[in-house]
Amino acid sequence: MSQSRHVPVMLQRCLDLLAPALEGPDAVVVDCTLGLGGHSEALLGRFPGVRLIGLDRDKEALRLSGERLAPYGERATLVHAVYDELPEVLERLGVARVQGVLFDLGVSSMQLDEAGRGFAYAQDAPLDMRMDQTTGVSAAEVLNTYPPGELVRILRAYGEEKQAKRIVAAIVRERQKEPFTTSARLVELIRDALPQAAKRTGGNPAKRTFQALRIEVNGELAVLERAVPAAVKALAVGGRIVVLSYHSLEDRLVKQVLAAGATSTAPPGLPVVPERYEPRLKLLTRGAELPTEEEIAENRRAAPARLRAAQRIREDAE
């Protein structure tokens, strides 16, 4: 796959938001979702003094981005890790605080384009969907072994699929005949299970189910729930965090963490608010920012993106 096809989402905006924190000497920025290294390459290029730490759970992504970032030599440190492992990674590298953190929570285009991984519903592939293929259960195992109630919960919670019960009833019926192994059979089953009206809206009818399976297989929301607070904690005062999310569950989670950090924790009615109750964060975006129409025209994967950013303004209360 050519690297040029990978267009980082909302790149300019991410760089501009991080810039005030990264222009000083000895700044460290963490790209928590390295992928093919598009955002990282731009960060290293724009901020010549910055040191970058890039995390990814996908070994193939690390190999490819390693080639791409090789010209930057020692300035880039790439680590095989899930992004909620950020505190351990920083400790191992002897880095106490960082000036910038970036999360781009979209599935990398490499994973979507590489047929054998089973992320995409547009082509037939083994139902795997693990971002780190050395560990954990595959999407096929989830489909073939989870109890019906649990599958309905996953499709509703992670895929916001209104027809979850219908789809799961069909899955359970079919898996008794023969376990699921490839994506095409699942796509066909979903098409057949949905009422006509539901098929006319919102793109490929399998999209929501595939999203739900991907989130379940990779524990994405649980990981994110630990990762965003850990990233905020790792920021030095003046440091900035930028998060790109792609569906409402991720965005809601990010919003809650950043909003909580930007809110005073003082009990109501205090005439003077002691410093320990003051907000630790200042929000840099009003609500979630969306990609421009031009950007969506250029890169359809940017369409669902929601960007939020905040700046660390004080230390945690002891």
Side-chain angles (χ1 to χ4, degrees):
M1 169 186 155
S2 74
Q3 307 245 342
S4 60
R5 273 171 52 201
H6 176 65
V7 186
V9 172
M10 297 178 82
L11 178 61
Q12 201 48 53
R13 188 65 180 129
C14 291
L15 294 175
D16 292 347
L17 281 163
L18 289 166
L22 300 185
E23 276 158 351
D26 306 322
V28 177
V29 64
V30 184
D31 183 344
C32 285
T33 45
L34 183 65
L36 290 177
H39 284 107
S40 282
E41 184 178 42
L43 285 163
L44 288 161
R46 174 153 167 193
F47 307 107
V50 89
R51 175 187 173 194
L52 176 116
I53 299 168
L55 313 185
D56 209 294
R57 58 164 80 176
D58 188 326
K59 287 187 167 162
E60 184 60 8
L62 284 168
R63 186 183 69 75
L64 290 168
S65 54
E67 289 170 13
R68 183 177 193 163
L69 302 178
Y72 296 98
E74 307 255 290
R75 290 179 55 209
T77 307
L78 309 188
V79 185
H80 182 233
V82 184
Y83 41 76
D84 65 340
E85 297 172 283
L86 177 65
E88 292 80 22
V89 170
L90 293 179
E91 196 178 332
R92 222 171 39 235
L93 295 173
V95 175
R97 287 299 179 89
V98 302
Q99 281 63 47
V101 180
L102 173 69
F103 286 90
D104 177 1
L105 300 169
V107 182
S108 96
S109 35
M110 176 195 72
Q111 289 163 337
L112 288 171
D113 293 339
E114 204 179 286
R117 303 288 286 271
F119 283 96
Y121 36 81
Q123 50 207 16
D124 193 18
L127 276 167
D128 190 322
M129 299 197 195
R130 287 173 300 168
M131 291 184 193
D132 179 350
Q133 291 185 298
T134 60
T135 176
V137 299
S138 68
E141 284 175 73
V142 170
L143 280 176
N144 293 328
T145 63
Y146 276 33
E150 188 63 2
L151 284 174
V152 170
R153 183 191 68 78
I154 289 165
L155 294 197
R156 279 191 183 145
Y158 301 161
E160 300 175 86
E161 174 55 80
K162 295 187 179 71
Q163 304 290 336
K165 274 193 148 160
R166 270 178 188 242
I167 292 170
V168 170
I171 287 169
V172 172
R173 196 170 58 240
E174 282 299 312
R175 77 184 185 187
Q176 284 163 352
K177 296 177 196 165
E178 191 190 334
F180 284 90
T181 54
T182 63
S183 53
R185 182 171 163 223
L186 179 59
V187 171
E188 200 180 325
L189 172 145
I190 293 166
R191 280 221 166 89
D192 293 344
L194 292 182
Q196 275 315 113
K199 289 184 215 184
R200 283 197 290 272
T201 55
N204 190 311
K207 186 168 89 176
R208 292 179 292 277
T209 298
F210 273 67
Q211 172 182 297
L213 286 170
R214 192 197 83 215
I215 291 172
E216 172 64 20
V217 164
N218 295 293
E220 286 172 46
L221 288 171
V223 169
L224 189 62
E225 223 163 325
R226 294 187 292 271
V228 180
V232 167
K233 217 179 165 85
L235 285 177
V237 171
R240 291 174 165 223
I241 177 171
V242 174
V243 186
L244 282 164
S245 32
Y246 294 80
H247 56 77
S248 58
L249 298 156
E250 286 174 344
D251 182 51
R252 197 177 311 147
L253 218 154
V254 173
K255 176 186 176 180
Q256 283 164 353
V257 174
L258 299 186
T263 306
S264 162
T265 54
L270 292 185
V272 177
V273 174
E275 190 163 317
R276 68 175 183 275
Y277 295 128
E278 292 284 357
R280 301 184 312 284
L281 294 178
K282 178 176 108 190
L283 300 180
L284 300 172
T285 45
R286 290 179 64 108
E289 291 187 7
L290 310 179
T292 62
E293 282 175 23
E294 294 79 42
E295 183 171 7
I296 294 169
E298 224 170 276
N299 179 10
R300 61 186 170 76
R301 286 183 184 146
R306 303 281 176 272
L307 182 148
R308 292 181 188 269
Q311 180 180 14
R312 181 79 184 233
I313 52 173
R314 66 173 66 246
E315 288 294 347
D316 282 340
E318 289 309 316

